[in-house]
Amino acid sequence: MPDNDRRHSCRSRHHGADAWLFALIFTCGLLTGCRRSPLMPQSGGKPFEVVLTGDIDSAVYRELTLDMEGLPQPEPWFDVIQDQEQPLARNIVKVDADPSRYTRTHIRYEQDVNAAPQLIVYIHTPNGAALQREMPALGDRLRRLLAQAETDRTLRFLHEKHNSQSESTILKMFGIKMLVPEDLTAQRQDKDFLWLSNTSAEAQRCLCIYAVHHPYAANEMDVRDSVLGRHIKGETDAMYMRTARETVSCYSYTAHDGRNEYIVRGLWEMEGDAMGGPFCQRVIPVDSTRTIVAEVFVFAPGLKKRNMMRALEAPLFTNFFN
C-alpha cells in the first residue's frame, strides 16, 4: 500500500493570507535576523510544539491542531501542551480575556522574551463568546505565524551548518544561492537537473533543482512528471515518479523583487511500486524563456513526516537572488 493514502482536493490560492505569508518568508523572517544574547537561556521544547495557556472551550486548541496540509496521513499543525506555564518554551500562546480592555479578538506577538529563539503570541479577547466566534478567522494567521518561526529556526541552523560544496554546484548550474542541509551528500547531475539526497534507508530526504526552458504553469504537473519521471526511477524503467494530481495545492505570491513565484504542495507516488510521500516546490519564473523549480520530497514509510518535511522545506525559503 503506498504511503500516500490520504488525498486533498486540488485548489489554487492567488490572494489573501496564504500568499502574503509565503511572500513574507522570503523577505523578513521573524527570527533569522536576531542574535541570541549570551546571557539569555536557550529555549526548550520540540519543533512544532506549542505551550497554550488561558484557552476557553478549546477555541484556540482546535485551530492549532487542525491537520497540516500536504502530508500523506493526518498530522496536526502543532503538538499542544495546555495550561502548563513554561516560560522557556520555544512557542507560547497566551489567551487573555478581559472585556474592560478588549472589544474584539486580536493577535500580537513578541520575540525572545524569556529565552531564545522564542515566539510568544498573545490572543486578546473580550470573552469566551467572542473568542469562539472570531478565532476561526484568525486561526490561519496564528498557525502560519508559529510555523514561520519554526522555519526561521531551521534557517538559522542552516546558516551555521550547511553543505557548501553542493551550494557551489547549484550556483554554477542555476545561478541561484541556496542553503543546503549538510546531510544531503549523495548527488546526481544531468543537463539542467540536480538531485541531492541523504543516504538513510529509513528516511530519505531529497532536494531536486531543474530548469525549464519554456512557459511553465506551476499548478500543472505535466512538466514535473516529465522531468522527475525521467530522472527518478525505481528498480526498473517501468517504475518512475509521478504526481498524485488530486492532492496538489498551488499558492502564488509576489516576491520582494516583484517576481511572481509559486509554492506548490502535494503528494508523489511511484508508478509500479508501493512508494510515495509528500513534496513541496518553489517555482521561480526567471524570464519568459526560463523557469527554475526547486523541490524537496521525502520517502519515510511508517514515520511521521510533518517535522521532517517542514525542516527540509527551509532551503526553499532562501533568498535565491540576493
Side-chain angles (χ1 to χ4, degrees):
M1 182 78 175
D3 194 23
N4 57 1
D5 53 359
R6 183 168 180 265
R7 306 301 191 202
H8 302 270
S9 59
C10 181
R11 61 194 185 278
S12 177
R13 300 178 186 174
H14 300 283
H15 302 285
D18 289 305
W20 180 83
L21 280 160
F22 275 120
L24 181 64
I25 288 173
F26 300 108
T27 56
C28 53
L30 287 172
L31 303 172
T32 50
C34 303
R35 290 294 179 267
R36 182 169 68 92
S37 166
L39 300 178
M40 182 166 284
Q42 178 76 30
S43 60
K46 301 175 182 178
F48 287 87
E49 185 176 81
V50 176
V51 173
L52 171 62
T53 61
D55 194 13
I56 303 172
D57 295 330
S58 301
V60 179
Y61 177 86
R62 282 193 296 270
E63 296 299 322
L64 291 175
T65 56
L66 290 177
D67 289 346
M68 182 175 275
E69 63 181 345
L71 298 176
Q73 285 87 31
E75 292 188 56
W77 272 82
F78 299 97
D79 301 320
V80 179
I81 300 173
Q82 296 191 76
D83 298 324
Q84 296 182 21
E85 292 289 344
Q86 297 187 23
L88 302 184
R90 62 196 289 140
N91 300 310
I92 301 173
V93 176
K94 295 185 175 184
V95 180
D96 179 23
D98 188 344
S100 68
R101 299 177 62 191
Y102 314 120
T103 60
R104 61 181 177 84
T105 305
H106 64 279
I107 292 174
R108 70 176 182 89
Y109 66 87
E110 294 181 318
Q111 304 169 34
D112 300 350
V113 176
N114 306 307
Q118 182 183 65
L119 180 67
I120 301 181
V121 181
Y122 303 91
I123 301 177
H124 301 306
T125 188
N127 49 53
L131 186 68
Q132 292 287 336
R133 182 176 62 252
E134 298 166 1
M135 199 60 223
L138 296 172
D140 186 73
R141 181 189 174 201
L142 174 63
R143 290 187 296 272
R144 296 190 183 280
L145 191 64
L146 291 161
Q148 183 182 320
E150 291 291 350
T151 296
D152 289 341
R153 293 182 185 112
T154 303
L155 284 172
R156 176 186 288 182
F157 178 80
L158 277 175
H159 276 286
E160 298 174 355
K161 294 185 178 181
H162 52 99
N163 189 331
S164 299
Q165 183 175 352
S166 294
E167 291 163 2
S168 297
T169 300
I170 292 171
L171 181 61
K172 181 178 180 180
M173 291 182 65
F174 302 99
I176 61 175
K177 297 179 180 180
M178 185 178 190
L179 293 170
V180 176
E182 62 179 351
D183 67 323
L184 302 188
T185 56
Q187 184 178 122
R188 182 186 301 176
Q189 292 186 45
D190 202 346
K191 178 176 172 56
D192 294 326
F193 178 84
L194 177 65
W195 178 14
L196 303 171
S197 69
N198 62 355
T199 57
S200 171
E202 295 182 352
Q204 187 175 21
R205 295 156 29 96
C206 299
L207 166 64
C208 287
I209 305 175
Y210 51 94
V212 180
H213 296 280
H214 55 75
Y216 184 93
N219 60 343
E220 296 177 4
M221 293 289 100
D222 290 345
V223 172
R224 180 183 188 274
D225 286 353
S226 174
V227 173
L228 298 188
R230 183 170 67 254
H231 287 95
I232 301 179
K233 302 283 190 179
E235 294 182 358
T236 70
D237 286 346
M239 300 177 181
Y240 54 87
M241 177 178 281
R242 67 181 184 186
T243 308
R245 301 200 180 198
E246 68 273 23
T247 70
V248 173
S249 298
C250 178
Y251 305 90
S252 67
Y253 62 92
T254 302
H256 71 285
D257 58 0
R259 193 188 311 270
N260 291 321
E261 298 185 0
Y262 306 88
I263 294 291
V264 182
R265 297 184 187 277
L267 303 178
W268 64 271
E269 56 194 9
M270 189 69 73
E271 172 69 20
D273 199 358
M275 297 177 65
F279 76 88
C280 178
Q281 58 180 207
R282 178 181 174 188
V283 180
I284 310 106
V286 179
D287 53 42
S288 60
T289 62
R290 184 169 181 255
T291 296
I292 294 175
V293 180
E295 172 176 331
V296 294
F297 62 89
V298 302
F299 176 61
L303 299 179
K304 293 184 177 180
K305 300 172 181 62
R306 180 195 65 194
N307 293 6
M308 187 187 313
M309 188 65 187
R310 294 306 185 242
L312 186 58
E313 288 174 14
L316 301 183
F317 303 148
T318 306
N319 188 354
F320 287 173
F321 298 100
N322 62 354

